[in-house]
Amino acid sequence: MEGRKGEFEKLAGSANEQGHMERLHRQRHPVPDFKALHEAHQASLACRKEHLVAIVPGPPIMLSTEIRAREREKFDQMMRMKEEEIERAKEERRRQRDAEEEREIKELRKRAIPKANEVPEWYADMPKKGGSVGGSG
């Protein structure tokens, strides 16, 4: 490393050699001609464009998501119908149970409330106990 530094200082020290270094530097890295490069690139693109073939679209693509969405909608509709049927059956059972409970309550009330029985017709002809009302002594 030290040897290279020394060589560099020797080269940099002489003015004659500096001019030589600049010439070497210029020869190694010429400035690119961007305008010519751009024109060459455009020409190659134009050549490529001539060989391009238009792609014609085929039949419309049927995505499985659309089919799946339709199937899911049918499934959801069937589930709603089943749920409504189950709900109707539950409501009907509830109404029947309420009606049965009401009948049982009426029957229990009939049995629980004592009612006066009608006096039978034959009872009117029966003799009265205890004699007359104005009674004698």
Side-chain angles (χ1 to χ4, degrees):
M1 191 112 144
E2 302 250 347
R4 287 190 181 185
K5 283 184 185 179
E7 289 175 16
F8 180 73
E9 289 173 0
K10 286 180 193 175
L11 291 174
S14 65
N16 201 7
E17 289 185 24
Q18 272 188 341
H20 180 68
M21 287 294 283
E22 288 177 11
R23 280 193 305 262
L24 284 177
H25 184 66
R26 273 190 251 134
Q27 287 175 359
R28 286 187 195 157
H29 302 289
V31 177
D33 185 8
F34 290 110
K35 190 171 187 179
L37 289 173
H38 181 69
E39 289 174 1
H41 183 69
Q42 290 297 326
S44 70
L45 286 179
C47 182
R48 284 185 191 170
K49 286 182 182 178
E50 290 174 3
H51 298 300
L52 289 178
V53 178
I55 298 174
V56 179
I61 298 172
M62 187 64 164
L63 297 177
S64 61
T65 54
E66 295 170 1
I67 296 169
R68 179 74 179 105
R70 278 189 249 128
E71 289 175 357
R72 181 63 189 205
E73 183 61 34
K74 287 179 186 176
F75 175 77
D76 288 343
Q77 186 177 5
M78 293 297 290
M79 289 303 294
R80 282 192 297 268
M81 289 172 57
K82 284 182 181 179
E83 288 173 359
E84 289 172 1
E85 185 63 34
I86 290 170
E87 193 64 33
R88 280 193 292 261
K90 283 182 181 179
E91 183 64 25
E92 182 63 29
R93 283 195 302 267
R94 187 189 61 78
R95 273 192 250 134
Q96 287 176 355
R97 188 173 53 242
D98 289 348
E100 182 64 31
E101 286 177 7
E102 186 125 350
R103 274 185 258 138
E104 288 176 7
I105 290 172
K106 284 183 181 180
E107 185 65 32
L108 288 173
R109 284 183 180 161
K110 278 184 180 179
R111 291 181 188 163
I113 298 174
K115 293 185 179 178
N117 295 326
E118 291 183 24
V119 177
E121 291 178 17
W122 57 265
Y123 190 75
D125 296 334
M126 295 294 286
K128 310 266 189 227
K129 294 182 183 177
S132 67
V133 176
S136 59

